[in-house]
Amino acid sequence: MSVRVLIRPREYHDSVRLMQLSERVRRESGVDEAILMMATANNKKILRASGMMTDAVDAAKADDLVVAVVASSDALAEAAIELATEQLTQRAAGAGASHTPRTLDSALALAPEANLAQISVPGMYASREARRALEKGLHVLLFSDNVGLEDELTLKQLARSKGLLLMGPDCGTSILNGVGLGFANAVRRGPVGIVGASGTGIQEITVLLERMGLGISQAIGTGGRDLKESIGGITMLMGLEILVADPQTELIILTSKPPAANVAQTVLACAARAGKPVLINFLGAQEADLTGLTGSKSQLHFATTLEQTALSASSLLGTGTSLPLLSPATIEARAGELATQLQPQQRFIRGLYAGGTLCFESLLYLQRELGQVNSNIAATADSLLTESDSSRGHTLLDMGDDAYTIGRAHPMIDPTLRMQRILQEAADPEVALLLLDVVLGYGAHADPATLLVETLREARQKAKREGRYLGVIVTICGTESDSQCLSRQAAVLQREDVLVATSNAEAARLAVAVIKTTTEMGE
Amino acid sequence: MPDTPTVELPQQLQVINIGLELFAETLREQQQTVLHVRWEPPAQGDPELLGMLDALL
Amino acid sequence: MSAIKEQIEQANEQALAAILGARPLLVDVAPALEVVPGMTANTILHSAPAIEWSRMCGPHRNGIIGAALWEGLAKDATQAQQMIKSGEIVVAPCHHHDSVGAGAGITSASTPMLVVQNATTGNRAFSCISEGGGLRLLKWGVYDEDIGRHLSWQAKVLSPVLRDAVRAGGGIDIKSIISKAVQMGDECHNRTIASTSLFMRALLEPLLEACGDSPDLLESVRFLVAADQFFLHGIMAAAKAMLMPASAIDYSTVVTAMARNGVEFGIQVAGLGDQWFTAPANNVEGLFFRSEWSYDDAAPDLGDSCITETIGLGGFIQAAAPTVQQYVQGNMQQAIANTQEMQQICVTSNNDVQIPAMDFVGAPVGIDIRKVVQTGIAPLIDTAITHKQGGLIGAGQVRAPMACFEQALKAFAGRYQ
């Protein structure tokens, strides 16, 4: 086993580039592991855990680049380091020769007409950049997470005082004037406006609407914490204001996890005055709780799932279209087919999600139908899993959660961790099926289905050697117009004996049906 | 809500992208003009210098 | 914007107004002892920053000893060193005497000086004249009998001719020469062929008028015609004259001087007065004139000549001089990218220096220490490569050390926050 480490002092590359380079070096040089990362404190932990800590790495500073490889021979390791160096030098030279500003101020000198800043720098620097952008009169899409709550409040207050939108922090998706910002799907323009505190929530709703021929006027992300008490829904209220005033918007959807009570009250009160139908999708909230807050339900409509939100929108707009969802009978049948292939001890669902909201929605449904479901985003202590825990019982993991993304890119960008976890789950003899989301669109992997299939084959072969069939249910969040193409991705998976659902909710229904069937069969 | 300016979305988005080049690429895929900032930690991350820059620049 | 940021912005505006509003004119040529403030018969000046004899680089030691011999202050190198160590010979940076010196910058009492007056503010700055082309010059830290003879010829024969011509010229407009030369392929540091030609053209009539009957005219002209980069030293003195009025503006973060002594690199900042902020000089990256030379032979960065970059010439406008790019195996695209980089650390652009290859955009000018530290972009300098033991061996480019700017920013914060 040969470990080689190279330190390149004061050389910065963004995390995605480094991930892409790491992947390339791994693939092309046949080494066991190749990691390129900045020598930040968090990354050093990762390197230590991977057995790649050396004195040089320890001494390296946060703005130094570490290139570390593990190979079966010195020669392979050397070759890998050479390849990495070549790629890095090329990259650095290319960057130097191109006309790229290094700061927001320099960028504004070149493009004084700029009106929006998209910010995805590491969390500890994000507030500074967002503040500068707002001070310069730009709207901001703040993708970065790990930004302090106090900073979020002062930044949103600053934004509001200037009539600017601060979408974020931790905002993965917006669609403004038909342009997808961050991770977004290719959808048509139309009469539905969305304000959402959840990226994949917005994505799921938009793709389901697209499926029904309904388009989007604006989709405004607010960031995951906007509806907390301390923030008070500043961005949601501003988004609502925009959609109320927008003549293109005929129906407004508000989507989020349940807000703090008084924030919900304020938002609902504003929504009630909208003068056009508003569809409230506070995932997991009961309709009764909400109408209790407003006192009247005449202006407002409620939907408990993302799927129901899309269906209600279509119904409220009177378009008459629907989704090709499976009937309960068909779900039973499919579930039965899968269940008969399982061994008696295979009783559990393992869900691995890139989309946090999709995970959350499934978690709610599974808990209601199956009882205890463990998760890293569980509400109760006895169901809570940390990122070093193995799954137990029914488990759904949000792999985009902060704990899994320290020093790594989000699973929508870097699928590695999830693929590894799939293999881990497959090795557990009590696992009946995997429940997964595949997200398409701008910013997503070029062919996630094919990548997933490679891992699924390996996982299923392993299970098969131990006499087990492994069920797989996938929800694809995407459209025909996405470059990956929804139907093509679905076909790739279906050819591999994967059950492809039309929506996240349907995938959860299928999964539950399988478990209920096996339980019945066992009795 | 106190008197604050109404928020208007610009007709034509003119985006400056700071951070992951991935998000500049997704805009280019959509034929959107975007100016990418080749961002690096200011003052190479030195906290003392960062503090001074916050106050002075 | 906070109060202090406002003050800094205003102070920087003031500094740039002073620099860009300057009118540097070549008004005289005279021996250092006659014109340089604080000059004495036993003073020898060198390129900044100040440094003890024991730590000086080879070119400086050789040059200073050479000057001592040439001036007749000492009869041999041993005596010269004794006198330097004892203080009988005073050694100081040119910058401390309103002067600048390229390479080793060796300036002694009899050295002919170009005298540049800033017509806007009246202040004067000085530079030793160029010894001409060649790899072995006092400027590069080499001294022998031939060099001594040439220096004496310059002092006794060339200098009076130049003086009469320059005086008759009534003040040669150096800013105008720079503006035109940049549009003729000069970046005014490593390449000053166009500047020198324009200078010669400006000098032609007064030269004939004032020195038409002089027996030394032809010999002097022969030298000047062969010295095709002669005017670098004039541009340097002009830069110094332009920066001097900005040298004490409270709250300004603009760099007013950059210099290297073959060991350390130093900067001065408008809002921080006379203080020098120093750090180890970097090694110049480039090409060597002969295959026998390599990086092992090279002294670190040396000379006051980066006073040109301090006013946004040289490495800041590589795109104006494609020939210079060859020394670092670059290309036009890289040169333009380098200038764009410099734009990001400067206060403004100079409309008097327009770069044709970049659609006549004004050159970046006014290095802001805050922006240097923020971006991690250090000023880029086009420069010569000197041998550790003296002599010119190559040319290329080098970055100012970041540490100078970090130190300066800390001092600025300490003083003004």
Side-chain angles (χ1 to χ4, degrees), chain C residues 8-294:
Chain C
I8 294 173
E9 294 304 310
Q10 275 171 30
N12 287 349
E13 252 183 66
Q14 218 187 318
L16 265 300
I19 294 168
L20 298 179
R23 280 194 62 226
L25 307 175
L26 180 65
V27 296
D28 201 1
V29 179
L33 190 58
E34 256 181 54
V35 288
V36 172
M39 196 65 184
T40 69
N42 61 324
T43 299
I44 300 176
L45 306 177
H46 62 82
S47 36
I51 183 167
E52 321 85 84
W53 175 254
S54 57
R55 287 208 307 137
M56 278 191 188
C57 65
H60 267 178
R61 287 162 162 258
N62 293 348
I64 292 169
I65 291 172
L69 296 176
W70 178 60
E71 292 280 1
L73 294 171
K75 60 177 173 4
D76 58 36
T78 314
Q79 192 192 12
Q81 285 194 64
Q82 275 166 9
M83 293 175 75
I84 292 161
K85 287 180 191 161
S86 71
E88 277 173 83
I89 291 177
V90 174
V91 166
C94 302
H95 266 288
H96 293 198
H97 295 262
D98 296 350
S99 302
V100 281
I106 306 300
T107 303
S108 57
S110 313
T111 306
M113 306 296 283
L114 298 175
V115 181
V116 173
Q117 177 147 349
N118 183 343
T120 311
T121 44
N123 60 286
R124 292 183 158 203
F126 311 86
S127 170
C128 49
I129 61 167
S130 166
E131 292 156 73
L135 307 180
R136 292 172 57 80
L137 303 171
L138 186 65
K139 162 183 185 173
W140 303 124
V142 187
Y143 185 78
D144 58 26
E145 273 182 34
D146 285 335
I147 291 171
R149 262 194 295 275
H150 180 62
L151 290 173
S152 299
W153 175 82
Q154 286 200 314
K156 295 194 185 106
V157 177
L158 174 69
S159 179
V161 169
L162 273 178
R163 179 187 57 206
D164 290 344
V166 167
R167 283 184 185 176
I172 294 176
D173 184 343
I174 302 179
K175 196 158 160 176
S176 165
I177 288 177
I178 291 171
S179 300
K180 294 193 182 108
V182 168
Q183 299 197 14
M184 292 164 66
D186 274 6
E187 30 76 286
C188 297
H189 184 161
N190 267 7
R191 190 184 190 273
T192 53
I193 298 177
S195 322
T196 303
S197 304
L198 290 167
F199 162 69
M200 289 293 286
R201 200 155 149 259
L203 199 66
L204 187 55
E205 199 181 316
L207 190 62
L208 292 176
E209 251 179 27
C211 315
D213 297 326
S214 165
D216 301 322
L217 177 60
L218 188 54
E219 220 189 334
S220 302
V221 165
R222 279 204 182 107
F223 166 79
L224 287 172
V225 164
D228 64 359
Q229 312 260 25
F230 180 83
F231 205 56
L232 168 64
H233 295 214
I235 293 170
M236 286 171 59
K240 178 73 176 165
M242 291 166 74
L243 287 159
M244 282 166 72
S247 63
I249 298 180
D250 281 352
Y251 286 96
S252 173
T253 53
V254 171
V255 174
T256 49
M258 294 198 292
R260 347 44 135 212
N261 60 24
V263 177
E264 286 180 326
F265 193 109
I267 69 169
Q268 287 181 310
V269 179
L272 297 170
D274 281 340
Q275 197 176 350
W276 284 91
F277 300 93
T278 64
N282 288 324
N283 295 316
V284 181
E285 175 208 329
L287 294 182
F288 297 92
F289 298 138
R290 294 217 274 261
S291 58
E292 69 193 82
W293 293 317
S294 72

Side-chain angles (χ1 to χ4, degrees), chain A residues 100-119 121 125-140, chain B residues 14-19 35-40 42 57, chain C residues 344 371 374-375:
Chain A
T100 353
R102 296 278 308 278
T103 63
L104 173 63
D105 288 344
S106 307
L108 282 168
L110 291 168
E113 73 290 357
N115 48 36
L116 187 138
Q118 215 173 220
I119 300 173
V121 302
Y125 299 105
S127 300
R128 181 179 288 108
E129 300 298 330
R131 179 167 302 113
R132 190 58 148 223
L134 291 169
E135 282 168 0
K136 296 288 181 176
L138 301 171
H139 297 281
V140 174
Chain B
Q14 308 274 8
V15 182
I16 292 178
N17 184 60
I18 307 169
L35 182 54
H36 176 65
V37 169
R38 196 164 51 86
W39 183 91
E40 292 184 14
L57 179 56
Chain C
Q344 299 186 58
K371 293 186 183 181
Q374 179 202 31
T375 61

Side-chain angles (χ1 to χ4, degrees), chain A residues 342-405:
Chain A
L342 299 170
Q343 297 297 323
Q345 84 276 10
Q346 288 181 274
R347 300 173 288 142
F348 297 127
I349 296 169
R350 298 286 156 84
L352 305 172
Y353 286 84
T357 306
L358 302 180
C359 182
F360 181 74
E361 179 178 82
S362 298
L363 184 62
L364 292 177
Y365 181 71
L366 259 60
Q367 281 171 334
R368 220 174 66 206
E369 297 292 315
L370 300 177
Q372 174 148 359
V373 180
N374 303 309
S375 173
N376 61 326
I377 57 169
T380 57
D382 63 335
S383 303
L384 191 62
L385 294 174
T386 69
E387 113 275 10
S388 50
D389 287 334
S390 294
S391 307
R392 50 184 160 81
H394 298 301
T395 297
L396 297 187
L397 295 179
D398 170 10
M399 303 209 65
D401 190 51
D402 284 1
Y404 288 101
T405 58

Side-chain angles (χ1 to χ4, degrees), chain A residues 82-115:
Chain A
E82 246 187 72
L83 174 62
T85 309
E86 189 193 295
Q87 290 299 305
L88 286 166
T89 323
Q90 245 182 52
R91 171 73 201 149
S98 69
H99 183 150
T100 353
R102 296 278 308 278
T103 63
L104 173 63
D105 288 344
S106 307
L108 282 168
L110 291 168
E113 73 290 357
N115 48 36

